[in-house]
Amino acid sequence: QIIKALTEMEIVDFWAIDFKTSPEKYKEVGGDFEKVEESLNILRNYPDKVEVRITCYPPLISEEELKKMIPYLKGFKFIALQKYVPE
């Protein structure tokens, strides 16, 4: 709801959204994929103003998980695969 309101108000210059893992694994990170999908669907309308970030954290991101995420990335111009760096 917040993303929708802010995009309608046109007050945000650039969005960055973290896409943690495949839809099936989202509960493992305490998330609700339906909300993520809704956010992605809203932001897809602003391809020049959005970066989708994926941190390649081994327990959550594998080649198989990335393949499941690809359909949700369509329409975005900026997709960043970030290396996981443990502390």
Side-chain angles (χ1 to χ4, degrees):
Q1 293 172 348
I2 292 171
I3 292 172
K4 185 176 180 184
L6 291 174
T7 55
E8 289 172 357
M9 294 169 66
E10 298 181 358
I11 61 173
V12 177
D13 292 331
F14 195 79
W15 294 88
I17 184 169
D18 288 334
F19 193 180
K20 300 288 187 197
T21 189
S22 66
E24 296 84 5
K25 282 194 160 187
Y26 242 84
K27 287 186 181 181
E28 288 182 32
V29 295
D32 178 352
F33 186 73
E34 288 181 17
K35 290 180 182 178
V36 174
E37 185 175 22
E38 183 179 345
S39 298
L40 291 169
N41 286 337
I42 293 167
L43 293 174
R44 190 173 284 111
N45 295 314
Y46 306 90
D48 294 327
K49 295 184 174 189
V50 180
E51 180 177 86
V52 180
R53 297 175 180 170
I54 301 168
T55 301
C56 297
Y57 177 59
L60 295 176
I61 298 294
S62 65
E63 184 177 343
E64 180 181 327
E65 300 310 315
L66 282 172
K67 286 179 183 177
K68 293 176 184 177
M69 295 165 76
I70 288 172
Y72 300 96
L73 299 173
K74 290 184 180 175
F76 291 104
K77 290 177 81 172
F78 307 108
I79 300 168
L81 290 175
Q82 303 177 134
K83 180 180 178 182
Y84 171 70
V85 180
E87 292 184 36

